[in-house]
Amino acid sequence: MKNKGCLSAGTIGIALLIIVALLFFWGKSGYNNFVTKEQNVNTKWSNVETVYQKRANLIPNLERTVKAYSKFEQETLTKVVEARSKASSVNVDPTNMTEQDIARFQAAQGELSGALNRLMVVVEKYPDLKADQQYINFQREYIAIENSIRTETVYYNGAVQDYNTSIKTFPNNILANFTNFKEKPLFKAEAGANKAPEVFSE
């Protein structure tokens, strides 16, 4: 009877060790998977910021081109420059971003988009400026960058959905809560975001 008791205790000990080992490897695999998906989100967000920065980098050349036309409505240009400054000052930490951070970023970028669109409408009143090669180059780059912005935000949202699904499904949600992996916010499309930017030809 004593031997049977010892054997039973040994069996239980082995079973516990197996359970602990399984939990360890499951936890390790799950944690590493969360890290990989979170890093993908961070990379995609960095790409979003990069294309927005490329757009902001167009403004100084646009400003120089427009300023050459003394009769141009300077207030319109000033609003573009101010909106660029505001948009460039809004930074988001992808490792700890919230919906409020995304909203603040989008609001600032949306303000710049509106200012640029208004400027391009006003340019229609100035045929010489509209036909200026530097301005034409700006239009081409602007369209390409706006298309890249839409592409990169779609990629970012795809990475976020993949990550969020991973940490919210059972039993991953238990591990995610224990290891402090939190849901990431989506980049919300603005009205008309599915359309190409409107520019005007001669």
Side-chain angles (χ1 to χ4, degrees), residues 138-158:
F138 159 77
Q139 284 185 316
R140 289 172 181 164
E141 290 185 69
Y142 176 68
I143 292 173
I145 289 172
E146 285 292 323
N147 288 332
S148 294
I149 287 172
R150 277 185 290 279
T151 299
E152 294 302 339
T153 53
V154 167
Y155 289 159
Y156 166 77
N157 279 348

Side-chain angles (χ1 to χ4, degrees), residues 22-158:
L22 289 174
L23 287 174
F24 171 79
F25 286 112
W26 168 74
K28 179 183 177 182
S29 175
Y31 182 86
N32 289 340
N33 186 46
F34 296 161
V35 169
T36 299
K37 291 180 184 295
E38 185 176 50
Q39 288 300 312
N40 188 39
V41 171
N42 295 346
T43 298
K44 294 296 188 291
W45 177 253
S46 178
N47 293 343
V48 169
E49 288 188 314
T50 296
V51 290
Y52 272 114
Q53 186 57 51
K54 284 182 179 179
R55 186 178 70 170
N57 291 344
L58 291 179
I59 307 303
N61 285 338
L62 173 66
E63 184 180 8
R64 284 191 291 271
T65 301
V66 172
K67 276 186 173 180
Y69 293 80
S70 57
K71 294 181 180 180
F72 188 80
E73 299 171 26
Q74 292 301 312
E75 183 181 355
T76 304
L77 178 59
T78 298
K79 287 181 178 178
V80 170
V81 175
E82 290 175 348
R84 175 191 185 268
S85 177
K86 182 177 179 181
S88 298
S89 69
V90 178
N91 298 309
V92 177
D93 178 6
T95 62
N96 193 34
M97 66 170 66
T98 64
E99 287 189 8
Q100 291 75 21
D101 292 329
I102 291 285
R104 186 164 48 87
F105 180 88
Q106 285 194 257
Q109 297 297 340
E111 188 175 327
L112 178 54
S113 296
L116 282 167
N117 289 335
R118 286 189 293 274
L119 182 141
M120 286 189 285
V121 170
V122 172
V123 166
E124 286 297 294
K125 302 176 185 178
Y126 302 86
D128 290 342
L129 173 55
K130 188 173 66 169
D132 185 284
Q133 189 59 48
Q134 292 300 316
Y135 182 74
I136 292 172
N137 291 342
F138 159 77
Q139 284 185 316
R140 289 172 181 164
E141 290 185 69
Y142 176 68
I143 292 173
I145 289 172
E146 285 292 323
N147 288 332
S148 294
I149 287 172
R150 277 185 290 279
T151 299
E152 294 302 339
T153 53
V154 167
Y155 289 159
Y156 166 77
N157 279 348

